[in-house]
Amino acid sequence: MPHSTKIELTEELLEDIELANMHHRLWSAWFLDIETSTVIFFTDEIEYDPELRDFVEHEANRDRFIPIPTSDTKKSWEQVELFIQQIENPHLKSTLTKAMGNKHRFQPFLDEVYYAGLDDEWYNFSTRLDRIEVLNWLYGKNL
């Protein structure tokens, strides 16, 4: 459901949301507090702290704390494929394509990116796509 509250969109907030989006773990949750324009992290302590759980789950606060979605693995691999598509050197393109052959392991791709001297280019590329994803999510929430 779209929100009528507008958050203060800062570089720090965008980076925090990107980090939260990438680092979801079992027994943890990340929320955007739209009153303070901050990202809040809860571990499993919320399960053992009834006051904290009640505060977050209280009906009056449901619209205040927006769960930050998890980035899925499929999107990460789509980023890799888009990155490889933009590579002009056929040999390098082939090497990177082979490195991503095992879609259960990301490290071989990162190793080849590093050996090719493309680590900064990869980081900037993936960061731009992550930023677009976060901005689209915020826009979809009308924040």
Side-chain angles (χ1 to χ4, degrees), residues 83-99:
F83 181 75
I84 291 172
Q85 286 174 10
Q86 63 148 6
I87 301 293
E88 294 178 10
N89 178 317
H91 176 72
L92 182 55
K93 186 179 272 195
S94 174
T95 300
L96 292 174
T97 301
K98 287 177 188 171

Side-chain angles (χ1 to χ4, degrees), residues 3-136:
H3 297 273
S4 58
T5 304
K6 294 295 180 187
I7 59 172
E8 181 182 348
L9 194 58
T10 64
E11 183 68 22
E12 180 180 8
L13 178 60
L14 288 171
E15 289 173 1
D16 287 349
I17 294 171
E18 289 167 10
L19 180 70
N21 182 268
M22 292 185 304
H23 293 287
H24 272 267
R25 299 282 188 259
L26 191 60
W27 306 112
S28 67
W30 296 82
F31 293 87
L32 173 60
D33 181 342
I34 62 173
E35 284 186 16
T36 63
S37 295
T38 57
V39 172
I40 299 172
F41 173 71
F42 293 112
T43 61
D44 59 347
E45 70 191 40
I46 196 168
E47 293 300 319
Y48 303 106
D49 185 338
E51 283 183 43
L52 181 60
R53 186 178 60 245
D54 290 346
F55 177 74
V56 172
E57 293 177 350
H58 189 273
E59 190 170 327
N61 291 326
R62 283 192 190 144
D63 288 335
R64 175 180 173 179
F65 298 102
I66 310 299
I68 296 174
T70 306
S71 180
D72 67 19
T73 308
K74 183 180 177 193
K75 285 185 182 177
S76 297
W77 284 111
E78 287 171 359
Q79 284 186 357
V80 169
E81 290 170 351
L82 289 171
F83 181 75
I84 291 172
Q85 286 174 10
Q86 63 148 6
I87 301 293
E88 294 178 10
N89 178 317
H91 176 72
L92 182 55
K93 186 179 272 195
S94 174
T95 300
L96 292 174
T97 301
K98 287 177 188 171
M100 68 170 277
N102 182 354
K103 291 195 175 186
H104 300 288
R105 294 183 53 230
F106 198 61
Q107 195 59 48
F109 168 78
L110 292 178
D111 290 344
E112 291 300 332
V113 164
Y114 175 77
Y115 296 140
L118 297 173
D119 42 327
D120 285 341
E121 189 175 332
W122 163 250
Y123 174 79
N124 292 333
F125 181 85
S126 64
T127 300
R128 273 193 318 273
L129 293 180
D130 290 342
R131 177 64 52 93
I132 290 167
E133 185 178 339
V134 166
L135 290 171
N136 285 336

